Structure formats: C-alpha cells, structure tokens
Amino acid sequence: MVIRDHTIAFICFVLTFVVWSQPITMFETSYEGIDNDLVAWDCPRPITNPSPAAVDLDKLRVKISESKPGDIIESWHPQCKALNRTQVVLGFLSLAGAIWKTIMWRRSTSDKRAEKKFAKLHSQTSGRPKGLLG
C-alpha cells in the first residue's frame, strides 16, 4: 500500500497540531508531600495558555486541610509550563515534514494542473457571445 504525498502532509500537519496542543502530563507520584489521592492535577493546553499562572502550594495545602475526607481538589500542577522541549522539537519536525511533502506533492502534480488549465482555456465554445457582448 502506497500512501500519497498529500495524505502524508495532512498526517504531519495533524501531528504538529496534536503535539503542540496537548500537555505532556505524568502525575503519578506525589509532589512536595501532596498526595495524588487528594488532588486531581491538570494542565492547560500549551498553545492556548503558553504561560500558566504559578500554583501556590501553601494555599493548596490549606484547601486540602479544610476539605472533608474523601473530597478531591482540582488544581493545575506546579510544573505545567509552556511547551516542553520535546514538544517543540517534535512539532517542528512534523511541521517541516508536512511542508516538505506538500512541496513535493505540488511539484509532482504541476504538469497535470497545467494540462487542465490549458484544456479549459482552449475548450470548444458554443459560438455565441457571452457576458456584456450579448
């Protein structure tokens, strides 16, 4: 099975969007003594919120101490920042691949597009004047 250039370009563009819009989160361990059973960590999307506000852990600890047993508090993780270095590199690599494949696709189909344009310009007409001449 051969995947065409425009399909690969589309996949690379989608991959770029996914890499740059999804936060990389791994919050399986406790952070500075705050247990994961008490807090539901989350991160904003890196593209829409490139520099999230800093999380005050002291305020978070106060909320935890004031909450009822079994309550889960939602908070952003203190390590949520702008795009991760890995995301930047993967995003630029997939974007470069998408641009390169788009250029290759446009070059490989340029003759076909030119032939269509030529055929359209030189097609037979009905012989009747069109537009303002009629």
Side-chain angles (χ1 to χ4, degrees), residues 65-78:
S65 65
E66 293 174 350
S67 67
K68 298 175 187 174
D71 284 350
I72 296 177
I73 297 170
E74 295 181 8
S75 175
W76 284 357
H77 199 277

Side-chain angles (χ1 to χ4, degrees), residues 12-114:
C12 288
F13 277 124
V14 168
L15 181 64
T16 301
F17 174 74
V18 168
V19 166
W20 282 350
S21 67
Q22 297 298 317
I24 295 178
T25 56
M26 286 188 253
F27 307 130
E28 297 174 4
T29 59
S30 61
Y31 184 79
E32 291 191 15
I34 299 174
D35 194 14
N36 284 346
D37 296 335
L38 303 173
V39 179
W41 298 115
D42 195 16
C43 271
R45 295 192 183 276
I47 294 296
T48 58
N49 196 352
S51 58
V55 177
D56 189 3
L57 292 177
D58 294 330
K59 288 182 181 178
L60 187 60
R61 287 188 180 104
V62 169
K63 281 184 185 178
I64 291 172
S65 65
E66 293 174 350
S67 67
K68 298 175 187 174
D71 284 350
I72 296 177
I73 297 170
E74 295 181 8
S75 175
W76 284 357
H77 199 277
Q79 294 177 333
C80 292
K81 292 187 175 62
L83 287 174
N84 192 332
R85 282 188 221 126
T86 305
Q87 287 175 294
V88 172
V89 170
L90 286 175
F92 278 128
L93 284 175
S94 61
L95 185 63
I99 292 170
W100 178 70
K101 273 302 186 182
T102 301
I103 291 170
M104 292 294 110
W105 171 53
R106 296 288 292 174
R107 285 184 181 171
S108 69
T109 59
S110 64
D111 290 341
K112 192 179 225 181
R113 286 192 317 273

